[in-house]
Amino acid sequence: MSQILPTAEPFFFPGSGKNAKIGCLVQHGFTGTPKEVRWLGEYLNGRGYAVCGMRLTGHATQPEDMIRSRYPDWLASVEDGFNLLRSSCEQVFLLGLSMGGILSLTSASRLPVKGVVAMSTPYNLPADPRLKYLKLISKFIPFMPKGKGEPGHGWFDKDVWKQHVAYPENPVRSIAELNALLVIMRASLPNVKVPVLIIHSRNDDYVIKGSMDAIYDAIGSTDKQKMWVEGGGHVITEEPTRHVVFKAAAEFVERVSRT
Amino acid sequence: MRGMGEYLNRQGFTVCGIRLAGHATQPADMLRVRWRDWLASVEDGYHLLRSCTDEIYLAGLSLGGMLALTFASRFPVAGVIAMSTPYSHPTDGRLKFARLLGWFKPYLPKGGGPGSGWFGDVWKEHVAYPAYPVRSLGELGQLMDVLHAALLQVKSPVLLISSRNDHPRICQSMEKIHARLGSADKQMVWIDGSGHTITEEPQREIVFQTATEFIFRLNPTGL
């Protein structure tokens, strides 16, 4: 009688060897689940890092649970993961996909993290006159379809798409929360002073094209890099882009943890 | 629960102290949560531990005990330690209307003056919301019904610990829970000289030791 969707459960992999006291919080995105960053977590744990993949409030159970959640709950879930890692690690890195990246960057302006990897992270939502009325609309229309076209649209690897777990539609009330969270993120970026690596896919249909530059320009850190990947859609931690992404993330953590 | 967690960790166990949905942030956050969210938080903790351990014990205080027992009726756990765990509703007819009443009066003050019901001074360091969100009391009531139905399905070994100096309703609860548990291996232990929060009160070391002995008894080859 599990409430959490099977295979989408949160996870904790203790560290080993010389990297045991360095923790990586891998954070999933909007309507997603820890599963979409589990391979990233396993890769990092293979290098000895302690890894935690938290489940955001309202996610990975049933879509109705997400409607009740608010963006401070999601920030608190990230803070939970940070604290769980910090009780056994000396340094904590935040690595987030999509809204997980938004949460990671925002949290980096508030918590003593060592560095951030933000993947497929939006800077803002596409302009839409309905955005101002989302809370009202949500009382009549609870869910909105995701994206365009047939199922699996935007994914390069259809087999990987088939094992991907996420809510089938976007809760309208939650889009309002996402929008509010983005306002907070944009205001927080100048206060992010730790090293940041931003990774986006050229083939990402969800994120507005100028997002990586906008985030990069706004971040306060002096140690910041942008990286493009190709051959994968939005979920670069599961698509064929993942191998390049994992390697870059691990090298970033390796380099920054030595400073 | 941290003191208990640190004690168990010193005995060599891997420990996870999970934060329940809506808790430990601000009272308004608790208004939005439902008992299923609390159970999902426990499930989170279970999975976090399961990815790095072979057997899992649940130790819960008060609502935590209710959640631990309910969880154990649904998932395979090695054992449950339920402390200061309530079984019955307060005899207050308004509980059924908590959802409605909560619209008008969101919070109910906690009874007694500061430190009331506590022994010693540890209440001064205790962190909790200052009042009960009424909506959440309604959720607590619903969870109680779920618990009543779940107890017979609990088959894991269970250790129940309560304080003789707790609210009379909690004292009666331990016997009721014990009687209804499906487990073959179940015991009740009474503590004296402590109020409700027996994991922080003066007799906490006895609580921690009893819990540890329970786990070692079920795990004789141990660590």
Side-chain angles (χ1 to χ4, degrees):
Chain A
M1 282 186 79
S2 173
Q3 286 192 86
I4 301 178
L5 298 166
T7 71
E9 304 94 354
F11 49 87
F12 190 99
F13 307 138
S16 60
K18 67 174 171 64
N19 291 330
K21 295 246 179 243
I22 301 166
C24 294
L25 181 65
V26 294
Q27 192 51 65
H28 70 81
F30 189 78
T31 70
T33 76
K35 188 179 193 186
E36 66 198 29
V37 287
R38 195 179 180 112
W39 289 339
L40 171 61
E42 287 170 353
Y43 183 91
L44 291 165
N45 188 240
R47 301 279 191 102
Y49 301 112
V51 172
C52 180
M54 282 307 272
R55 180 184 70 86
L56 295 177
T57 306
H59 286 67
T61 50
Q62 56 177 21
E64 289 72 20
D65 290 342
M66 195 169 162
I67 295 177
R68 280 183 291 105
S69 62
R70 303 284 172 262
Y71 77 80
D73 300 328
W74 303 332
L75 283 167
S77 296
V78 171
E79 198 176 337
D80 280 336
F82 171 84
N83 283 315
L84 287 175
L85 278 169
R86 210 157 76 121
S87 48
S88 58
C89 295
E90 285 157 1
Q91 300 176 24
V92 178
F93 286 81
L94 305 183
L95 302 95
L97 175 78
S98 198
M99 185 175 84
I102 301 172
L103 292 165
S104 299
L105 287 167
T106 308
S107 299
S109 72
R110 305 165 168 207
L111 302 171
V113 305
K114 188 75 176 166
V116 179
V117 177
M119 300 165 282
S120 302
T121 304
Y123 182 78
N124 51 351
L125 292 181
D128 188 318
R130 292 171 298 178
L131 273 176
K132 273 208 303 286
Y133 306 104
L134 283 171
K135 286 187 193 176
L136 180 60
I137 295 172
S138 73
K139 294 190 197 294
F140 305 99
I141 304 173
F143 298 103
M144 257 176 57
K146 289 182 171 183
K148 325 121 197 192
E150 76 286 352
H153 174 89
W155 286 77
F156 277 57
D157 187 334
K158 300 300 185 203
D159 288 328
V160 153
W161 161 69
K162 282 189 194 141
Q163 59 84 53
H164 177 74
V165 176
Y167 291 150
E169 292 189 310
N170 289 322
V172 176
R173 183 62 183 83
S174 307
I175 301 175
E177 290 302 309
L178 172 60
N179 205 28
L181 175 63
L182 278 163
V183 172
I184 305 272
M185 180 196 79
R186 290 192 292 267
S188 306
L189 290 177
N191 295 320
V192 175
K193 309 283 195 218
V194 295
V196 178
L197 167 63
I198 314 166
I199 313 177
H200 279 223
S201 167
R202 284 193 210 279
N203 313 106
D204 188 339
D205 276 346
Y206 279 103
V207 175
I208 296 173
K209 287 303 168 211
S211 289
M212 183 149 75
D213 282 335
I215 293 172
Y216 180 91
D217 291 339
I219 287 178
S221 326
T222 46
D223 181 348
K224 49 183 179 177
Q225 314 159 243
K226 288 180 283 193
M227 180 179 161
W228 284 110
V229 295
E230 287 176 18
H234 182 64
V235 188
I236 60 177
T237 49
E238 287 189 304
E239 289 262 61
T241 43
R242 67 184 182 274
H243 308 287
V244 166
V245 169
F246 296 172
K247 191 155 172 294
E251 280 166 6
F252 172 80
V253 173
E254 166 72 26
R255 173 177 70 78
V256 175
S257 64
R258 304 272 159 245
T259 59
Chain B
M1 295 303 290
R2 196 176 182 113
M4 183 167 193
E6 287 171 352
Y7 183 95
L8 290 167
N9 186 239
R10 282 196 296 273
Q11 314 310 315
F13 302 113
T14 301
V15 174
C16 179
I18 202 88
R19 181 181 68 88
L20 291 179
H23 285 69
T25 49
Q26 54 175 11
D29 289 343
M30 205 163 149
L31 293 172
R32 282 180 280 103
V33 297
R34 308 289 168 256
W35 64 263
R36 48 176 288 111
D37 301 324
W38 298 333
L39 208 53
S41 296
V42 174
E43 196 178 338
D44 280 333
Y46 173 82
H47 288 296
L48 288 172
L49 280 173
R50 207 166 73 116
S51 43
C52 56
T53 59
D54 299 320
E55 283 187 26
I56 298 167
Y57 290 81
L58 305 183
L61 176 77
S62 201
L63 166 65
M66 291 170 64
L67 291 166
L69 289 167
T70 305
F71 190 86
S73 74
R74 304 169 172 208
F75 286 81
V77 304
V80 179
I81 300 149
M83 302 167 284
S84 305
T85 304
Y87 177 84
S88 38
H89 301 263
T91 44
D92 187 334
R94 291 175 300 175
L95 197 66
K96 272 205 300 287
F97 304 102
R99 258 181 92 160
L100 184 59
L101 290 170
W103 272 103
F104 303 101
K105 189 181 160 103
Y107 303 102
L108 191 68
K110 293 185 174 177
S116 151
W118 288 75
F119 286 61
D121 279 336
V122 83
W123 64 269
K124 291 181 184 158
E125 282 141 39
H126 179 73
V127 177
Y129 289 153
Y132 297 119
V134 172
R135 183 74 173 80
S136 305
L137 290 174
E139 291 301 313
L140 196 61
Q142 286 182 45
L143 177 62
M144 233 165 231
D145 292 335
V146 172
L147 175 68
H148 294 176
L151 286 177
L152 195 58
Q153 318 304 324
V154 177
K155 308 292 188 204
S156 322
V158 176
L159 167 65
L160 301 165
I161 314 177
S162 278
S163 166
R164 277 188 230 277
N165 310 104
D166 202 341
H167 193 284
R169 198 164 38 82
I170 306 274
C171 295
Q172 290 153 22
S173 287
M174 183 153 79
E175 279 151 350
K176 291 187 181 160
I177 293 173
H178 185 269
R180 285 155 178 78
L181 272 169
S183 323
D185 182 346
K186 49 184 177 176
Q187 18 158 185
M188 289 188 287
V189 170
W190 288 107
I191 301 291
D192 293 299
S194 287
H196 182 68
T197 311
I198 59 179
T199 49
E200 289 188 301
E201 289 268 51
Q203 302 301 311
R204 61 185 177 275
E205 291 281 322
I206 297 182
V207 174
F208 302 164
Q209 265 166 38
T210 312
T212 304
E213 280 158 15
F214 170 72
I215 300 173
F216 278 135
R217 173 169 70 73
L218 296 167
N219 254 294
T221 51
L223 309 146

